[in-house]
Amino acid sequence: MTDVAGNAATWFVDRHPGEGRGDKVAFREAGGGRSLSYQGLAEGSGQVAAALRRAGVRPEERAAMLVTDTIEFPQIFFGALKCGVVPVPLNTLLAAPVYDAILRDCRATVLFVSEALFDTISSVLKGHPTLRVIIVNSDRAPEGCTSFDAFLRNAGTLETQPASDDEVAFWLYSSGSTGQPKGVPHVHSAMKATADTYGAHILGLREDDVVFSAAKLFFAYGLGNAMTFPLAAGATTVLFAGRPTPADMLAVMTAEQPTVFCGVPTLYAAMVAGMDKAGTPATLLRRAISAGEALPEDVGMRWEAHTGVAILDGVGSTEMLHIFLSNRAGDNVYGTSGVAVPGYDMRLVDETGTEVGDDEIGELLVRGASAAAGYWNQRKKSRTTFEGEWTRTGDKYERRKDGRYVYCGRTDDMFKVSGIWVSPFEVEQALVSHPAVLEAAVVAAPGEDGLDKPKAFVVLQDAADSGIAEHLKEHVKDRIGKWKYPRWISIVDELPKTATGKIQRFRLRGAGQ
Ligand code: 3SK
């Protein structure tokens, strides 16, 4: 049925003032920046909707959002939803040619862009084939663009328009670990589905929570953590527009006192290293979550020793919109991804599609109400990823007898040594458990016999001593067995990663020793 209740803006935004939350702060910018009340969000998004309508933007047209984590983000996102325009949040760390490809792929007619990001994208805007309206969040808009304030001025407000649960509400671009980003359309009901599953059962947000997500709003993980879940609970979100450096994250934790923190493994590892040196800040933290990559056991334990709060590691995807497999409070086992989030089902299958048993490795498939239906304009890739109700994750997992899932690697990252599967993640965990190691990535490389062996790229906590590589090899042998140890170890300054923090192992394959 198509009605106002089907529009996600009704539940996430419009209901709050009537429930007595009008004056409550929904979003506040870290460092004494601006704040936006629930009433302000309802009004601001209504104004954005009216201004889009006035500008002649029609329902189902795409509005690209190259917007940092500021109070404009939720107003634009829900403003678009309110008038049936489809917001497409973009990763803020890409380069101009990728923005060009995405804007052409989604055929955006509108672009909202933060002032700080305008220069990165400006070269692709001139003569763009579909863009008609460019709104820059700055006092003085560049030529051919409108400032955000001028765009909204005297626009009035637009009531939230009816929508069907099954209607596309917004798109995200999946960065994947390789290749060009793919457009992933999501329906209105998908946001509520993630709030009712992971948000309610694992995160368990309360109205008095203050949430801080280092993962940005353009990323499915950040969009749930810092926007839809707190709005579903009537809580408050702290927004941080800059790059999430470990030092800044610890400073925000001290200054803003969030009760819930959402990070990714590499950031947790660096924050733990920071706390080892500078001490643990006093916080009101009651929950910490991680996703994006499997969390090394050692990082979780060291974080918990510092803060007294467990990190609940989970796995999600842009295609499923948020986390579907997770540890939970009071039942957290580091080194595993936990069990299915209520509302989701899992299958592990081999190359022939046959289900594998406990303690065997297979590809993880997931089923749940938040799944996308396909990729935009990518029929072949859609058909191999979305199989009816099931979505292929591209991740290899092993289900233990106790029902917990253990991550083994991306399907294309796994390799065999002497005929036995090696999980790069297991070797990486063993390396990271050494106090000298900050991060590690492991890939297959051919030995003199032409057969694959593990090869490691390691970032150290501090300057290396000369015998460190041999020492680390022995450490891995002791932890996980003799045939899995890396035959070569390269000490590097950093690992190649996607903008969302996933290690790009494919870029290390074939890299020099
Ligand atoms: O990578 C993940 O684990 C993830 C989690 C939540 C939402 C989106 C993603 C990609």
Side-chain angles (χ1 to χ4, degrees):
M1 202 170 77
T2 301
D3 60 15
V4 174
N7 192 316
T10 301
W11 197 70
F12 284 99
V13 176
D14 296 342
R15 75 183 161 99
H16 289 293
E19 292 179 4
R21 244 169 257 115
D23 291 337
K24 180 167 184 184
V25 172
F27 296 91
R28 66 171 198 252
E29 295 172 349
R34 303 165 301 164
S35 65
L36 181 68
S37 66
Y38 274 92
Q39 180 71 35
L41 173 60
E43 285 172 6
S45 52
Q47 271 185 299
V48 170
L52 285 166
R53 208 24 102 73
R54 179 177 66 180
V57 185
R58 290 186 304 266
E60 295 181 18
E61 288 185 33
R62 263 78 65 194
M65 292 176 60
L66 185 55
V67 178
T68 53
D69 282 19
T70 53
I71 58 171
E72 282 77 20
F73 189 109
Q75 298 179 76
I76 296 167
F77 185 93
F78 284 107
L81 252 61
K82 283 187 169 188
C83 63
V85 169
V86 177
V88 185
L90 303 183
N91 182 332
T92 54
L93 301 171
L94 301 176
V98 190
Y99 289 130
D100 191 35
I102 293 178
L103 289 175
R104 286 169 192 270
D105 184 59
C106 72
R107 302 188 191 125
T109 53
V110 184
L111 170 69
F112 289 91
V113 52
S114 296
E115 183 172 27
L117 298 168
F118 184 77
D119 284 350
T120 320
I121 200 168
S122 61
S123 64
V124 308
L125 301 180
K126 202 155 179 263
H128 192 278
T130 59
L131 278 179
R132 297 198 309 268
V133 186
I134 301 171
I135 302 123
V136 186
N137 191 18
S138 70
D139 296 340
R140 282 193 307 120
E143 202 192 323
C145 307
T146 311
S147 75
F148 190 58
D149 286 348
F151 181 66
L152 297 188
R153 200 170 302 132
N154 302 325
T157 188
L158 185 79
E159 295 287 298
T160 298
Q161 299 298 294
S164 138
D165 277 359
D166 290 347
E167 192 171 318
V168 169
F170 65 102
W171 297 13
L172 294 172
Y173 269 83
S174 146
S175 61
S177 47
T178 56
Q180 281 288 340
K182 298 180 286 296
V184 184
H186 278 290
V187 295
H188 280 265
S189 55
M191 280 190 279
K192 179 86 166 38
T194 57
D196 288 346
T197 53
Y198 183 82
H201 292 280
I202 309 296
L203 210 46
L205 285 189
R206 306 186 304 230
E207 202 169 337
D208 61 350
D209 272 318
V210 175
V211 182
F212 176 44
S213 173
K216 300 289 179 191
L217 288 165
F218 66 75
F219 178 24
Y221 177 49
L223 194 77
N225 301 338
M227 195 173 79
T228 51
F229 299 161
L231 290 180
T236 297
T237 297
V238 173
L239 294 172
F240 179 77
R243 205 167 69 83
T245 63
D248 281 344
M249 296 301 92
L250 290 167
V252 172
M253 305 271 270
T254 309
E256 306 289 343
Q257 291 294 321
T259 55
V260 176
F261 178 67
C262 316
V264 295
T266 50
L267 180 63
Y268 277 116
M271 287 172 78
V272 166
M275 288 191 283
D276 286 346
K277 288 193 182 119
T280 313
T283 69
L284 295 176
L285 208 59
R286 71 172 187 90
R287 186 136 302 165
I289 62 163
S290 180
E293 282 224 280
L295 179 79
E297 183 176 356
D298 189 67
V299 173
M301 290 194 311
R302 286 166 60 206
W303 167 276
E304 192 168 338
H306 270 291
T307 63
V309 177
I311 303 178
L312 306 182
D313 187 23
V315 189
S317 70
T318 305
E319 291 78 356
M320 295 303 294
L321 190 54
H322 212 272
I323 293 173
F324 45 79
L325 182 63
S326 182
N327 282 283
R328 52 189 73 200
D331 185 23
N332 187 32
V333 178
Y334 290 122
T336 81
S337 303
V339 299
V341 170
Y344 293 91
D345 301 307
M346 308 289 144
R347 283 170 66 206
L348 285 184
V349 300
D350 67 15
E351 289 78 5
T352 66
T354 310
E355 248 167 88
V356 302
D358 288 347
D359 296 331
E360 285 174 0
I361 295 173
E363 184 183 348
L364 181 70
L365 273 66
V366 54
R367 175 169 68 181
S370 60
Y375 298 115
W376 173 252
N377 275 356
Q378 299 232 20
R379 185 173 150 84
K380 198 166 163 201
K381 187 74 191 133
S382 296
R383 285 163 65 114
T384 51
T385 303
F386 301 93
E387 297 184 347
E389 290 187 309
W390 294 93
T391 305
R392 280 189 174 271
T393 63
D395 287 325
K396 289 250 193 219
Y397 267 89
E398 191 179 304
R399 189 183 46 247
R400 296 188 341 191
K401 288 208 175 51
D402 63 2
R404 291 178 213 279
Y405 287 76
V406 177
Y407 180 68
C408 300
R410 294 290 297 167
T411 25
D412 43 9
D413 287 335
M414 298 278 296
F415 56 94
K416 282 187 173 177
V417 176
S418 312
I420 307 173
W421 281 114
V422 169
S423 149
F425 181 65
E426 189 188 10
V427 186
E428 288 160 10
Q429 282 220 92
L431 285 162
V432 171
S433 70
H434 191 283
V437 177
L438 182 63
E439 288 185 303
V442 169
V443 297
E448 278 174 9
D449 55 7
L451 299 172
D452 279 346
K453 311 271 185 307
K455 170 175 171 181
F457 295 81
V458 167
V459 181
L460 295 173
Q461 302 267 16
D462 292 306
D465 63 63
S466 57
I468 189 73
E470 289 315 307
H471 184 68
L472 289 176
K473 287 180 190 175
E474 291 310 312
H475 178 77
V476 175
K477 280 187 204 167
D478 289 346
R479 296 268 307 203
I480 58 169
K482 299 228 178 318
W483 87 97
K484 292 178 184 168
Y485 80 94
R487 309 308 195 268
W488 309 272
I489 296 186
S490 277
I491 307 297
V492 293
D493 290 337
E494 58 182 353
L495 298 173
K497 293 197 193 116
T498 66
T500 53
K502 291 186 206 290
I503 297 172
Q504 295 174 307
R505 292 184 187 76
F506 76 97
R507 289 180 58 191
L508 296 170
R509 286 188 207 116
Q513 282 159 37

